[in-house]
Amino acid sequence: YRAEISYLSGQIEVVIDMFKAAGEWEDTLFIVTSDHGENIGEHDLMDHQYALYDTLLHVPLFIHGRPFEDSESDDIIQLVDIAPTVLDILDIDAPEAREQFQGISFHPDTTDNREFAISEYMAPQPSMEALVKRVGELPDHIRTYDRSLRAIRTDQYKYIRGSDGSQELYNLWSDPDETENVADSNPDVLN
């Protein structure tokens, strides 16, 4: 995995160097992000399946171009927020397109801030049936992953609810690695 990241980083540098060599870098809006992260042993999982932890959801977002020069942000942002932000950066009105967007611009001049992010894991991939075909009978504890998941994340908390009725709540301020489920001791937060 580290080799893949290193290779990708090198390829991004090649593209940036091409823009710089052409004298276009300063006038280029360049965005790098990812659709998901990976579990590499975190939460006793491998790959990017069966969960909605930040190891999968908190992905890099790099933006080069005015007005994002030399700035960092810990704001809650979703990938659907990129399109309206690009329109704002390029000063494109496009009201018909904006009406269809679900995202909120995170342009530095915007006053709207996202209060929470939502995510959903529709169904196990591969399915339990596919796993049985590949590896044979599964231990019972593997079947606990045979569910869909929905999550809502604020600055402080992440709540994950499974279609099987499971609930997880993490206080991200005190437990950023999401290791201690505090759902039972925080009914006020769940409500």
Side-chain angles (χ1 to χ4, degrees), residues 21-171:
E24 298 293 330
W25 180 242
E26 294 308 315
D27 294 323
T28 297
L29 175 61
F30 190 76
I31 300 173
V32 177
T33 191
S34 175
D35 60 339
H36 61 77
E38 294 289 334
N39 282 309
I40 305 177
E42 297 90 355
H43 307 284
D44 295 325
L45 296 169
M46 294 296 288
D47 209 338
H48 54 268
Q49 307 297 335
Y50 310 117
L52 289 175
Y53 300 115
D54 274 3
T55 49
L56 304 182
L57 301 178
H58 192 187
V59 298
L61 175 60
F62 168 81
I63 301 176
H64 165 79
R66 294 177 196 96
F68 290 96
E69 299 299 317
D70 301 319
S71 66
E72 290 186 25
S73 174
D74 289 329
D75 292 347
I76 295 174
I77 296 171
Q78 292 194 208
L79 294 179
V80 297
D81 298 335
I82 294 174
T85 304
V86 168
L87 290 181
D88 285 347
I89 293 167
L90 300 176
D91 198 26
I92 297 173
D93 193 23
E96 292 175 10
R98 289 177 187 269
E99 285 178 21
Q100 297 177 37
F101 291 154
Q102 294 178 4
I104 300 170
S105 174
F106 55 89
H107 187 284
D109 293 342
T110 318
T111 57
D112 293 336
N113 288 324
R114 184 176 285 286
E115 293 180 40
F116 57 86
I118 56 171
S119 51
E120 186 171 31
Y121 184 69
M122 295 295 294
Q125 296 296 322
S127 68
M128 295 298 126
E129 294 77 26
L131 283 175
V132 168
K133 286 180 184 177
R134 285 186 200 167
V135 300
E137 198 53 40
L138 301 173
D140 288 340
H141 74 278
I142 298 297
R143 298 219 178 257
T144 61
Y145 298 106
D146 192 12
R147 79 247 191 267
S148 61
L149 298 169
R150 291 186 175 154
I152 186 165
R153 183 193 198 285
T154 65
D155 183 46
Q156 183 175 3
Y157 290 102
K158 160 108 54 81
Y159 173 69
I160 304 170
R161 179 167 176 86
S163 60
D164 59 357
S166 61
Q167 295 187 92
E168 298 174 61
L169 179 69
Y170 299 98
N171 184 332

Side-chain angles (χ1 to χ4, degrees), residues 176-189:
D177 294 330
E178 300 168 296
T179 60
E180 184 182 349
N181 182 357
V182 296
D184 291 339
S185 59
N186 287 277
D188 55 320
V189 176

